[in-house]
mmCIF file of all heavy atoms in Angstrom:
data_model
loop_
_atom_site.group_PDB
_atom_site.id
_atom_site.type_symbol
_atom_site.label_atom_id
_atom_site.label_comp_id
_atom_site.label_asym_id
_atom_site.label_seq_id
_atom_site.Cartn_x
_atom_site.Cartn_y
_atom_site.Cartn_z
ATOM 1 N N MET A 1416 51.176 -171.275 93.338
ATOM 2 C CA MET A 1416 50.368 -170.720 92.277
ATOM 3 C C MET A 1416 49.604 -171.849 91.600
ATOM 4 O O MET A 1416 50.161 -172.883 91.271
ATOM 5 C CB MET A 1416 51.262 -170.003 91.278
ATOM 6 C CG MET A 1416 50.525 -169.408 90.140
ATOM 7 S SD MET A 1416 51.674 -168.481 89.099
ATOM 8 C CE MET A 1416 50.527 -167.525 88.213
ATOM 9 N N LYS A 1417 48.330 -171.662 91.406
ATOM 10 C CA LYS A 1417 47.507 -172.667 90.735
ATOM 11 C C LYS A 1417 47.823 -172.708 89.253
ATOM 12 O O LYS A 1417 48.201 -171.712 88.652
ATOM 13 C CB LYS A 1417 46.026 -172.355 90.914
ATOM 14 C CG LYS A 1417 45.506 -172.670 92.272
ATOM 15 C CD LYS A 1417 44.008 -172.540 92.283
ATOM 16 C CE LYS A 1417 43.464 -172.999 93.611
ATOM 17 N NZ LYS A 1417 42.031 -173.049 93.638
ATOM 18 N N ASN A 1418 47.662 -173.869 88.672
ATOM 19 C CA ASN A 1418 47.865 -174.050 87.238
ATOM 20 C C ASN A 1418 46.540 -173.735 86.543
ATOM 21 O O ASN A 1418 45.695 -174.609 86.386
ATOM 22 C CB ASN A 1418 48.322 -175.482 86.962
ATOM 23 C CG ASN A 1418 48.565 -175.739 85.503
ATOM 24 O OD1 ASN A 1418 48.370 -174.873 84.666
ATOM 25 N ND2 ASN A 1418 48.988 -176.937 85.188
ATOM 26 N N ILE A 1419 46.358 -172.487 86.137
ATOM 27 C CA ILE A 1419 45.074 -172.110 85.537
ATOM 28 C C ILE A 1419 44.837 -172.778 84.194
ATOM 29 O O ILE A 1419 43.702 -172.934 83.761
ATOM 30 C CB ILE A 1419 44.939 -170.578 85.410
ATOM 31 C CG1 ILE A 1419 46.040 -170.003 84.536
ATOM 32 C CG2 ILE A 1419 44.911 -169.922 86.768
ATOM 33 C CD1 ILE A 1419 45.828 -168.551 84.177
ATOM 34 N N SER A 1420 45.902 -173.207 83.518
ATOM 35 C CA SER A 1420 45.710 -173.870 82.229
ATOM 36 C C SER A 1420 45.038 -175.224 82.391
ATOM 37 O O SER A 1420 44.526 -175.784 81.430
ATOM 38 C CB SER A 1420 47.038 -174.012 81.491
ATOM 39 O OG SER A 1420 47.916 -174.848 82.203
ATOM 40 N N ALA A 1421 45.034 -175.779 83.595
ATOM 41 C CA ALA A 1421 44.346 -177.052 83.834
ATOM 42 C C ALA A 1421 42.836 -176.886 83.709
ATOM 43 O O ALA A 1421 42.114 -177.861 83.609
ATOM 44 C CB ALA A 1421 44.696 -177.593 85.221
ATOM 45 N N PHE A 1422 42.375 -175.660 83.708
ATOM 46 C CA PHE A 1422 40.941 -175.413 83.672
ATOM 47 C C PHE A 1422 40.483 -174.859 82.332
ATOM 48 O O PHE A 1422 39.378 -174.380 82.190
ATOM 49 C CB PHE A 1422 40.557 -174.456 84.809
ATOM 50 C CG PHE A 1422 40.982 -174.991 86.145
ATOM 51 C CD1 PHE A 1422 42.113 -174.512 86.763
ATOM 52 C CD2 PHE A 1422 40.272 -176.004 86.750
ATOM 53 C CE1 PHE A 1422 42.525 -175.008 87.988
ATOM 54 C CE2 PHE A 1422 40.676 -176.521 87.974
ATOM 55 C CZ PHE A 1422 41.799 -176.026 88.593
ATOM 56 N N TRP A 1423 41.327 -174.907 81.331
ATOM 57 C CA TRP A 1423 40.953 -174.415 80.010
ATOM 58 C C TRP A 1423 39.838 -175.224 79.384
ATOM 59 O O TRP A 1423 39.101 -174.737 78.560
ATOM 60 C CB TRP A 1423 42.147 -174.432 79.068
ATOM 61 C CG TRP A 1423 43.137 -173.362 79.325
ATOM 62 C CD1 TRP A 1423 43.010 -172.287 80.159
ATOM 63 C CD2 TRP A 1423 44.432 -173.251 78.746
ATOM 64 N NE1 TRP A 1423 44.141 -171.535 80.143
ATOM 65 C CE2 TRP A 1423 45.039 -172.101 79.282
ATOM 66 C CE3 TRP A 1423 45.145 -174.016 77.841
ATOM 67 C CZ2 TRP A 1423 46.306 -171.696 78.935
ATOM 68 C CZ3 TRP A 1423 46.405 -173.607 77.492
ATOM 69 C CH2 TRP A 1423 46.980 -172.458 78.028
ATOM 70 N N LEU A 1424 39.725 -176.480 79.733
ATOM 71 C CA LEU A 1424 38.722 -177.357 79.131
ATOM 72 C C LEU A 1424 37.921 -178.041 80.245
ATOM 73 O O LEU A 1424 38.012 -179.240 80.446
ATOM 74 C CB LEU A 1424 39.416 -178.404 78.246
ATOM 75 C CG LEU A 1424 38.543 -179.298 77.395
ATOM 76 C CD1 LEU A 1424 37.740 -178.478 76.390
ATOM 77 C CD2 LEU A 1424 39.378 -180.318 76.665
ATOM 78 N N PRO A 1425 37.119 -177.285 81.001
ATOM 79 C CA PRO A 1425 36.405 -177.884 82.124
ATOM 80 C C PRO A 1425 35.307 -178.848 81.703
ATOM 81 O O PRO A 1425 35.030 -179.811 82.384
ATOM 82 C CB PRO A 1425 35.830 -176.694 82.873
ATOM 83 C CG PRO A 1425 35.744 -175.610 81.853
ATOM 84 C CD PRO A 1425 36.860 -175.872 80.880
ATOM 85 N N GLU A 1426 34.674 -178.608 80.571
ATOM 86 C CA GLU A 1426 33.626 -179.494 80.061
ATOM 87 C C GLU A 1426 33.845 -179.689 78.570
ATOM 88 O O GLU A 1426 34.296 -178.788 77.884
ATOM 89 C CB GLU A 1426 32.248 -178.899 80.302
ATOM 90 C CG GLU A 1426 31.901 -178.776 81.767
ATOM 91 C CD GLU A 1426 30.515 -178.198 81.985
ATOM 92 O OE1 GLU A 1426 29.732 -178.112 81.010
ATOM 93 O OE2 GLU A 1426 30.225 -177.835 83.123
ATOM 94 N N PHE A 1427 33.537 -180.884 78.090
ATOM 95 C CA PHE A 1427 33.718 -181.120 76.669
ATOM 96 C C PHE A 1427 32.703 -182.127 76.166
ATOM 97 O O PHE A 1427 32.124 -182.879 76.924
ATOM 98 C CB PHE A 1427 35.143 -181.610 76.359
ATOM 99 C CG PHE A 1427 35.505 -182.896 77.049
ATOM 100 C CD1 PHE A 1427 35.280 -184.114 76.443
ATOM 101 C CD2 PHE A 1427 36.068 -182.878 78.305
ATOM 102 C CE1 PHE A 1427 35.607 -185.304 77.077
ATOM 103 C CE2 PHE A 1427 36.405 -184.072 78.945
ATOM 104 C CZ PHE A 1427 36.180 -185.274 78.333
ATOM 105 N N THR A 1428 32.484 -182.098 74.856
ATOM 106 C CA THR A 1428 31.613 -183.053 74.184
ATOM 107 C C THR A 1428 32.375 -183.587 72.980
ATOM 108 O O THR A 1428 32.913 -182.822 72.191
ATOM 109 C CB THR A 1428 30.310 -182.390 73.723
ATOM 110 O OG1 THR A 1428 29.627 -181.867 74.857
ATOM 111 C CG2 THR A 1428 29.403 -183.388 73.018
ATOM 112 N N LEU A 1429 32.420 -184.892 72.867
ATOM 113 C CA LEU A 1429 33.089 -185.542 71.750
ATOM 114 C C LEU A 1429 32.034 -186.307 70.966
ATOM 115 O O LEU A 1429 31.260 -187.063 71.544
ATOM 116 C CB LEU A 1429 34.163 -186.501 72.267
ATOM 117 C CG LEU A 1429 34.861 -187.386 71.247
ATOM 118 C CD1 LEU A 1429 35.693 -186.524 70.301
ATOM 119 C CD2 LEU A 1429 35.730 -188.398 71.934
ATOM 120 N N GLN A 1430 31.984 -186.095 69.657
ATOM 121 C CA GLN A 1430 31.043 -186.804 68.813
ATOM 122 C C GLN A 1430 31.793 -187.494 67.683
ATOM 123 O O GLN A 1430 32.717 -186.920 67.109
ATOM 124 C CB GLN A 1430 30.009 -185.859 68.222
ATOM 125 C CG GLN A 1430 29.067 -185.289 69.245
ATOM 126 C CD GLN A 1430 27.988 -184.439 68.596
ATOM 127 O OE1 GLN A 1430 28.203 -183.808 67.572
ATOM 128 N NE2 GLN A 1430 26.819 -184.435 69.201
ATOM 129 N N LYS A 1431 31.373 -188.728 67.386
ATOM 130 C CA LYS A 1431 31.984 -189.455 66.283
ATOM 131 C C LYS A 1431 30.899 -190.300 65.630
ATOM 132 O O LYS A 1431 30.153 -190.993 66.313
ATOM 133 C CB LYS A 1431 33.122 -190.334 66.778
ATOM 134 C CG LYS A 1431 33.777 -191.097 65.655
ATOM 135 C CD LYS A 1431 35.165 -191.514 65.992
ATOM 136 C CE LYS A 1431 35.757 -192.203 64.801
ATOM 137 N NZ LYS A 1431 37.113 -191.879 64.571
ATOM 138 N N GLU A 1432 30.844 -190.223 64.320
ATOM 139 C CA GLU A 1432 29.883 -191.031 63.583
ATOM 140 C C GLU A 1432 30.578 -192.300 63.111
ATOM 141 O O GLU A 1432 31.625 -192.261 62.469
ATOM 142 C CB GLU A 1432 29.336 -190.272 62.380
ATOM 143 C CG GLU A 1432 28.260 -191.056 61.650
ATOM 144 C CD GLU A 1432 27.638 -190.279 60.508
ATOM 145 O OE1 GLU A 1432 27.752 -189.044 60.472
ATOM 146 O OE2 GLU A 1432 27.039 -190.939 59.650
ATOM 147 N N ILE A 1433 29.990 -193.430 63.469
ATOM 148 C CA ILE A 1433 30.526 -194.731 63.075
ATOM 149 C C ILE A 1433 29.387 -195.546 62.488
ATOM 150 O O ILE A 1433 28.398 -195.824 63.165
ATOM 151 C CB ILE A 1433 31.140 -195.485 64.284
ATOM 152 C CG1 ILE A 1433 32.251 -194.648 64.923
ATOM 153 C CG2 ILE A 1433 31.666 -196.850 63.849
ATOM 154 C CD1 ILE A 1433 32.800 -195.232 66.210
ATOM 155 N N GLY A 1434 29.519 -195.890 61.235
ATOM 156 C CA GLY A 1434 28.508 -196.713 60.583
ATOM 157 C C GLY A 1434 27.119 -196.105 60.593
ATOM 158 O O GLY A 1434 26.130 -196.822 60.729
ATOM 159 N N GLY A 1435 27.037 -194.787 60.473
ATOM 160 C CA GLY A 1435 25.734 -194.137 60.440
ATOM 161 C C GLY A 1435 25.165 -193.809 61.808
ATOM 162 O O GLY A 1435 24.115 -193.186 61.918
ATOM 163 N N THR A 1436 25.833 -194.229 62.879
ATOM 164 C CA THR A 1436 25.383 -193.925 64.235
ATOM 165 C C THR A 1436 26.285 -192.856 64.826
ATOM 166 O O THR A 1436 27.506 -192.975 64.761
ATOM 167 C CB THR A 1436 25.424 -195.188 65.122
ATOM 168 O OG1 THR A 1436 24.592 -196.193 64.544
ATOM 169 C CG2 THR A 1436 24.933 -194.889 66.528
ATOM 170 N N LEU A 1437 25.691 -191.821 65.396
ATOM 171 C CA LEU A 1437 26.448 -190.748 66.016
ATOM 172 C C LEU A 1437 26.597 -191.044 67.507
ATOM 173 O O LEU A 1437 25.612 -191.134 68.236
ATOM 174 C CB LEU A 1437 25.753 -189.402 65.818
ATOM 175 C CG LEU A 1437 26.465 -188.183 66.379
ATOM 176 C CD1 LEU A 1437 27.812 -187.973 65.675
ATOM 177 C CD2 LEU A 1437 25.599 -186.955 66.240
ATOM 178 N N TYR A 1438 27.833 -191.215 67.950
ATOM 179 C CA TYR A 1438 28.128 -191.473 69.352
ATOM 180 C C TYR A 1438 28.577 -190.167 69.993
ATOM 181 O O TYR A 1438 29.391 -189.440 69.434
ATOM 182 C CB TYR A 1438 29.234 -192.520 69.488
ATOM 183 C CG TYR A 1438 28.816 -193.880 68.989
ATOM 184 C CD1 TYR A 1438 29.041 -194.258 67.667
ATOM 185 C CD2 TYR A 1438 28.188 -194.780 69.832
ATOM 186 C CE1 TYR A 1438 28.652 -195.506 67.206
ATOM 187 C CE2 TYR A 1438 27.791 -196.028 69.377
ATOM 188 C CZ TYR A 1438 28.025 -196.391 68.064
ATOM 189 O OH TYR A 1438 27.641 -197.619 67.611
ATOM 190 N N THR A 1439 28.046 -189.871 71.160
ATOM 191 C CA THR A 1439 28.378 -188.648 71.873
ATOM 192 C C THR A 1439 28.850 -188.992 73.273
ATOM 193 O O THR A 1439 28.206 -189.770 73.982
ATOM 194 C CB THR A 1439 27.150 -187.713 71.978
ATOM 195 O OG1 THR A 1439 26.674 -187.445 70.661
ATOM 196 C CG2 THR A 1439 27.490 -186.420 72.673
ATOM 197 N N VAL A 1440 29.990 -188.427 73.650
ATOM 198 C CA VAL A 1440 30.525 -188.592 74.993
ATOM 199 C C VAL A 1440 30.695 -187.200 75.574
ATOM 200 O O VAL A 1440 31.272 -186.323 74.946
ATOM 201 C CB VAL A 1440 31.894 -189.316 74.965
ATOM 202 C CG1 VAL A 1440 32.483 -189.419 76.358
ATOM 203 C CG2 VAL A 1440 31.763 -190.687 74.325
ATOM 204 N N THR A 1441 30.182 -186.991 76.755
ATOM 205 C CA THR A 1441 30.370 -185.710 77.425
ATOM 206 C C THR A 1441 31.116 -185.954 78.729
ATOM 207 O O THR A 1441 31.071 -187.047 79.292
ATOM 208 C CB THR A 1441 29.024 -185.027 77.732
ATOM 209 O OG1 THR A 1441 28.246 -185.896 78.543
ATOM 210 C CG2 THR A 1441 28.270 -184.693 76.477
ATOM 211 N N GLY A 1442 31.828 -184.963 79.170
ATOM 212 C CA GLY A 1442 32.562 -185.121 80.411
ATOM 213 C C GLY A 1442 33.143 -183.807 80.862
ATOM 214 O O GLY A 1442 32.898 -182.755 80.293
ATOM 215 N N SER A 1443 33.922 -183.907 81.896
ATOM 216 C CA SER A 1443 34.595 -182.723 82.407
ATOM 217 C C SER A 1443 35.970 -183.138 82.897
ATOM 218 O O SER A 1443 36.242 -184.313 83.140
ATOM 219 C CB SER A 1443 33.792 -182.101 83.549
ATOM 220 O OG SER A 1443 33.687 -183.011 84.627
ATOM 221 N N TYR A 1444 36.830 -182.154 83.026
ATOM 222 C CA TYR A 1444 38.183 -182.394 83.497
ATOM 223 C C TYR A 1444 38.428 -181.490 84.678
ATOM 224 O O TYR A 1444 38.304 -180.268 84.588
ATOM 225 C CB TYR A 1444 39.206 -182.123 82.392
ATOM 226 C CG TYR A 1444 40.622 -182.275 82.882
ATOM 227 C CD1 TYR A 1444 41.116 -183.527 83.194
ATOM 228 C CD2 TYR A 1444 41.444 -181.180 83.057
ATOM 229 C CE1 TYR A 1444 42.405 -183.689 83.662
ATOM 230 C CE2 TYR A 1444 42.737 -181.330 83.512
ATOM 231 C CZ TYR A 1444 43.204 -182.578 83.823
ATOM 232 O OH TYR A 1444 44.475 -182.733 84.282
ATOM 233 N N ASP A 1445 38.749 -182.095 85.797
ATOM 234 C CA ASP A 1445 39.032 -181.348 87.006
ATOM 235 C C ASP A 1445 40.364 -181.850 87.529
ATOM 236 O O ASP A 1445 40.424 -182.847 88.235
ATOM 237 C CB ASP A 1445 37.915 -181.566 88.027
ATOM 238 C CG ASP A 1445 38.110 -180.743 89.279
ATOM 239 O OD1 ASP A 1445 38.843 -179.742 89.228
ATOM 240 O OD2 ASP A 1445 37.523 -181.104 90.308
ATOM 241 N N GLY A 1446 41.424 -181.218 87.120
ATOM 242 C CA GLY A 1446 42.742 -181.693 87.512
ATOM 243 C C GLY A 1446 43.693 -180.559 87.757
ATOM 244 O O GLY A 1446 43.378 -179.387 87.565
ATOM 245 N N THR A 1447 44.897 -180.929 88.169
ATOM 246 C CA THR A 1447 45.902 -179.912 88.470
ATOM 247 C C THR A 1447 46.935 -179.792 87.360
ATOM 248 O O THR A 1447 47.694 -178.842 87.338
ATOM 249 C CB THR A 1447 46.623 -180.240 89.785
ATOM 250 O OG1 THR A 1447 47.184 -181.553 89.693
ATOM 251 C CG2 THR A 1447 45.664 -180.182 90.962
ATOM 252 N N GLU A 1448 46.984 -180.776 86.450
ATOM 253 C CA GLU A 1448 47.901 -180.676 85.320
ATOM 254 C C GLU A 1448 47.077 -180.420 84.058
ATOM 255 O O GLU A 1448 45.899 -180.733 84.017
ATOM 256 C CB GLU A 1448 48.754 -181.939 85.174
ATOM 257 C CG GLU A 1448 47.980 -183.206 84.916
ATOM 258 C CD GLU A 1448 48.851 -184.452 84.875
ATOM 259 O OE1 GLU A 1448 50.009 -184.388 84.444
ATOM 260 O OE2 GLU A 1448 48.363 -185.508 85.292
ATOM 261 N N THR A 1449 47.710 -179.835 83.052
ATOM 262 C CA THR A 1449 46.971 -179.544 81.835
ATOM 263 C C THR A 1449 46.506 -180.847 81.191
ATOM 264 O O THR A 1449 47.129 -181.889 81.356
ATOM 265 C CB THR A 1449 47.822 -178.750 80.831
ATOM 266 O OG1 THR A 1449 48.964 -179.518 80.469
ATOM 267 C CG2 THR A 1449 48.239 -177.410 81.408
ATOM 268 N N LEU A 1450 45.416 -180.764 80.472
ATOM 269 C CA LEU A 1450 44.839 -181.953 79.853
ATOM 270 C C LEU A 1450 45.817 -182.612 78.889
ATOM 271 O O LEU A 1450 45.955 -183.829 78.871
ATOM 272 C CB LEU A 1450 43.530 -181.603 79.143
ATOM 273 C CG LEU A 1450 42.759 -182.767 78.534
ATOM 274 C CD1 LEU A 1450 42.402 -183.804 79.597
ATOM 275 C CD2 LEU A 1450 41.500 -182.262 77.850
ATOM 276 N N ASP A 1451 46.543 -181.804 78.091
ATOM 277 C CA ASP A 1451 47.487 -182.397 77.152
ATOM 278 C C ASP A 1451 48.625 -183.110 77.875
ATOM 279 O O ASP A 1451 49.064 -184.179 77.458
ATOM 280 C CB ASP A 1451 48.015 -181.362 76.159
ATOM 281 C CG ASP A 1451 48.782 -180.229 76.823
ATOM 282 O OD1 ASP A 1451 48.476 -179.867 77.972
ATOM 283 O OD2 ASP A 1451 49.699 -179.692 76.171
ATOM 284 N N LYS A 1452 49.088 -182.576 78.991
ATOM 285 C CA LYS A 1452 50.152 -183.232 79.763
ATOM 286 C C LYS A 1452 49.632 -184.524 80.391
ATOM 287 O O LYS A 1452 50.329 -185.528 80.454
ATOM 288 C CB LYS A 1452 50.703 -182.306 80.847
ATOM 289 C CG LYS A 1452 51.442 -181.123 80.307
ATOM 290 C CD LYS A 1452 52.724 -181.551 79.627
ATOM 291 C CE LYS A 1452 53.483 -180.346 79.120
ATOM 292 N NZ LYS A 1452 54.591 -180.700 78.275
ATOM 293 N N LYS A 1453 48.398 -184.502 80.855
ATOM 294 C CA LYS A 1453 47.811 -185.707 81.445
ATOM 295 C C LYS A 1453 47.689 -186.801 80.380
ATOM 296 O O LYS A 1453 48.038 -187.960 80.621
ATOM 297 C CB LYS A 1453 46.437 -185.399 82.038
ATOM 298 C CG LYS A 1453 45.795 -186.602 82.695
ATOM 299 C CD LYS A 1453 44.515 -186.238 83.399
ATOM 300 C CE LYS A 1453 43.951 -187.447 84.105
ATOM 301 N NZ LYS A 1453 42.790 -187.128 84.933
ATOM 302 N N MET A 1454 47.208 -186.429 79.194
ATOM 303 C CA MET A 1454 47.068 -187.409 78.117
ATOM 304 C C MET A 1454 48.432 -187.951 77.710
ATOM 305 O O MET A 1454 48.584 -189.149 77.477
ATOM 306 C CB MET A 1454 46.348 -186.778 76.926
ATOM 307 C CG MET A 1454 44.901 -186.473 77.225
ATOM 308 S SD MET A 1454 44.068 -185.588 75.898
ATOM 309 C CE MET A 1454 44.113 -186.780 74.591
ATOM 310 N N GLU A 1455 49.433 -187.076 77.629
ATOM 311 C CA GLU A 1455 50.788 -187.503 77.275
ATOM 312 C C GLU A 1455 51.323 -188.501 78.309
ATOM 313 O O GLU A 1455 51.914 -189.520 77.955
ATOM 314 C CB GLU A 1455 51.697 -186.280 77.200
ATOM 315 C CG GLU A 1455 53.119 -186.571 76.813
ATOM 316 C CD GLU A 1455 53.969 -185.313 76.763
ATOM 317 O OE1 GLU A 1455 53.431 -184.220 76.524
ATOM 318 O OE2 GLU A 1455 55.184 -185.444 76.967
ATOM 319 N N ARG A 1456 51.075 -188.218 79.588
ATOM 320 C CA ARG A 1456 51.534 -189.116 80.653
ATOM 321 C C ARG A 1456 50.841 -190.479 80.553
ATOM 322 O O ARG A 1456 51.490 -191.523 80.634
ATOM 323 C CB ARG A 1456 51.253 -188.484 82.017
ATOM 324 C CG ARG A 1456 51.662 -189.370 83.192
ATOM 325 C CD ARG A 1456 51.398 -188.693 84.529
ATOM 326 N NE ARG A 1456 50.056 -188.164 84.699
ATOM 327 C CZ ARG A 1456 48.986 -188.896 85.002
ATOM 328 N NH1 ARG A 1456 49.077 -190.203 85.135
ATOM 329 N NH2 ARG A 1456 47.803 -188.323 85.165
ATOM 330 N N ILE A 1457 49.544 -190.477 80.344
ATOM 331 C CA ILE A 1457 48.792 -191.734 80.264
ATOM 332 C C ILE A 1457 49.227 -192.550 79.053
ATOM 333 O O ILE A 1457 49.415 -193.767 79.143
ATOM 334 C CB ILE A 1457 47.272 -191.453 80.232
ATOM 335 C CG1 ILE A 1457 46.837 -190.900 81.591
ATOM 336 C CG2 ILE A 1457 46.483 -192.703 79.876
ATOM 337 C CD1 ILE A 1457 45.421 -190.368 81.611
ATOM 338 N N ILE A 1458 49.397 -191.897 77.910
ATOM 339 C CA ILE A 1458 49.848 -192.600 76.702
ATOM 340 C C ILE A 1458 51.230 -193.215 76.941
ATOM 341 O O ILE A 1458 51.492 -194.350 76.557
ATOM 342 C CB ILE A 1458 49.844 -191.656 75.484
ATOM 343 C CG1 ILE A 1458 48.407 -191.331 75.099
ATOM 344 C CG2 ILE A 1458 50.599 -192.263 74.304
ATOM 345 C CD1 ILE A 1458 48.268 -190.205 74.088
ATOM 346 N N GLY A 1459 52.124 -192.461 77.588
ATOM 347 C CA GLY A 1459 53.454 -192.982 77.901
ATOM 348 C C GLY A 1459 53.391 -194.189 78.810
ATOM 349 O O GLY A 1459 54.119 -195.172 78.619
ATOM 350 N N GLU A 1460 52.514 -194.146 79.808
ATOM 351 C CA GLU A 1460 52.359 -195.280 80.719
ATOM 352 C C GLU A 1460 51.835 -196.510 79.971
ATOM 353 O O GLU A 1460 52.310 -197.627 80.182
ATOM 354 C CB GLU A 1460 51.406 -194.911 81.856
ATOM 355 C CG GLU A 1460 51.978 -193.909 82.832
ATOM 356 C CD GLU A 1460 50.948 -193.380 83.817
ATOM 357 O OE1 GLU A 1460 49.762 -193.765 83.750
ATOM 358 O OE2 GLU A 1460 51.340 -192.565 84.680
ATOM 359 N N LYS A 1461 50.858 -196.310 79.110
ATOM 360 C CA LYS A 1461 50.290 -197.428 78.341
ATOM 361 C C LYS A 1461 51.326 -198.021 77.396
ATOM 362 O O LYS A 1461 51.402 -199.246 77.243
ATOM 363 C CB LYS A 1461 49.049 -196.986 77.556
ATOM 364 C CG LYS A 1461 47.904 -196.560 78.420
ATOM 365 C CD LYS A 1461 47.349 -197.712 79.209
ATOM 366 C CE LYS A 1461 46.174 -197.288 80.056
ATOM 367 N NZ LYS A 1461 45.698 -198.350 80.928
ATOM 368 N N LEU A 1462 52.127 -197.168 76.763
ATOM 369 C CA LEU A 1462 53.175 -197.644 75.866
ATOM 370 C C LEU A 1462 54.195 -198.474 76.636
ATOM 371 O O LEU A 1462 54.613 -199.539 76.179
ATOM 372 C CB LEU A 1462 53.847 -196.463 75.167
ATOM 373 C CG LEU A 1462 54.986 -196.813 74.204
ATOM 374 C CD1 LEU A 1462 54.482 -197.708 73.073
ATOM 375 C CD2 LEU A 1462 55.609 -195.548 73.641
ATOM 376 N N THR A 1463 54.578 -197.999 77.806
ATOM 377 C CA THR A 1463 55.528 -198.740 78.638
ATOM 378 C C THR A 1463 54.954 -200.101 79.027
ATOM 379 O O THR A 1463 55.654 -201.119 78.972
ATOM 380 C CB THR A 1463 55.880 -197.936 79.903
ATOM 381 O OG1 THR A 1463 56.453 -196.691 79.504
ATOM 382 C CG2 THR A 1463 56.851 -198.679 80.785
ATOM 383 N N GLU A 1464 53.679 -200.140 79.403
ATOM 384 C CA GLU A 1464 53.028 -201.408 79.757
ATOM 385 C C GLU A 1464 53.065 -202.382 78.583
ATOM 386 O O GLU A 1464 53.363 -203.567 78.745
ATOM 387 C CB GLU A 1464 51.579 -201.162 80.176
ATOM 388 C CG GLU A 1464 51.413 -200.509 81.515
ATOM 389 C CD GLU A 1464 49.971 -200.169 81.828
ATOM 390 O OE1 GLU A 1464 49.054 -200.636 81.103
ATOM 391 O OE2 GLU A 1464 49.742 -199.435 82.804
ATOM 392 N N LYS A 1465 52.733 -201.890 77.385
ATOM 393 C CA LYS A 1465 52.719 -202.754 76.199
ATOM 394 C C LYS A 1465 54.109 -203.300 75.898
ATOM 395 O O LYS A 1465 54.268 -204.460 75.540
ATOM 396 C CB LYS A 1465 52.190 -201.988 74.968
ATOM 397 C CG LYS A 1465 50.724 -201.689 75.025
ATOM 398 C CD LYS A 1465 49.921 -202.941 74.812
ATOM 399 C CE LYS A 1465 48.449 -202.615 74.781
ATOM 400 N NZ LYS A 1465 47.626 -203.811 74.682
ATOM 401 N N MET A 1466 55.122 -202.447 76.025
ATOM 402 C CA MET A 1466 56.491 -202.881 75.748
ATOM 403 C C MET A 1466 56.939 -203.936 76.754
ATOM 404 O O MET A 1466 57.609 -204.893 76.396
ATOM 405 C CB MET A 1466 57.431 -201.671 75.763
ATOM 406 C CG MET A 1466 57.204 -200.735 74.594
ATOM 407 S SD MET A 1466 58.217 -199.260 74.648
ATOM 408 C CE MET A 1466 59.836 -199.949 74.377
ATOM 409 N N GLU A 1467 56.547 -203.767 78.012
ATOM 410 C CA GLU A 1467 56.905 -204.740 79.045
ATOM 411 C C GLU A 1467 56.208 -206.068 78.816
ATOM 412 O O GLU A 1467 56.772 -207.124 79.071
ATOM 413 C CB GLU A 1467 56.575 -204.184 80.432
ATOM 414 C CG GLU A 1467 57.499 -203.063 80.861
ATOM 415 C CD GLU A 1467 57.096 -202.407 82.153
ATOM 416 O OE1 GLU A 1467 56.012 -202.713 82.694
ATOM 417 O OE2 GLU A 1467 57.874 -201.559 82.659
ATOM 418 N N GLU A 1468 54.960 -206.021 78.313
ATOM 419 C CA GLU A 1468 54.219 -207.258 78.017
ATOM 420 C C GLU A 1468 54.872 -208.048 76.893
ATOM 421 O O GLU A 1468 54.809 -209.268 76.866
ATOM 422 C CB GLU A 1468 52.781 -206.922 77.622
ATOM 423 C CG GLU A 1468 51.915 -206.456 78.759
ATOM 424 C CD GLU A 1468 50.540 -206.013 78.307
ATOM 425 O OE1 GLU A 1468 50.235 -206.116 77.095
ATOM 426 O OE2 GLU A 1468 49.754 -205.563 79.162
ATOM 427 N N GLN A 1469 55.519 -207.372 75.958
ATOM 428 C CA GLN A 1469 56.112 -208.023 74.791
ATOM 429 C C GLN A 1469 57.474 -208.640 75.102
ATOM 430 O O GLN A 1469 57.987 -209.405 74.310
ATOM 431 C CB GLN A 1469 56.248 -207.034 73.636
ATOM 432 C CG GLN A 1469 54.914 -206.592 73.089
ATOM 433 C CD GLN A 1469 55.059 -205.558 71.985
ATOM 434 O OE1 GLN A 1469 56.132 -205.097 71.669
ATOM 435 N NE2 GLN A 1469 53.924 -205.182 71.400
ATOM 436 N N GLU A 1470 58.054 -208.316 76.244
ATOM 437 C CA GLU A 1470 59.371 -208.857 76.582
ATOM 438 C C GLU A 1470 59.301 -210.303 77.013
ATOM 439 O O GLU A 1470 58.419 -210.895 77.393
ATOM 440 C CB GLU A 1470 60.020 -208.027 77.701
ATOM 441 C CG GLU A 1470 60.396 -206.653 77.216
ATOM 442 C CD GLU A 1470 61.012 -205.803 78.321
ATOM 443 O OE1 GLU A 1470 61.074 -206.224 79.482
ATOM 444 O OE2 GLU A 1470 61.432 -204.695 78.005
#
């Protein structure tokens, strides 16, 4: 069975104003795991890398 929740956010636009300049990033997500699970996995990997660097 396909993970249909992986397709809940196929395209997105992120905007952030910094110092009076509006930055816009657009993209898409084409994956088999949900976006929140993917972000959680990546954050966990980065945290592990940082902890290993500090040892």
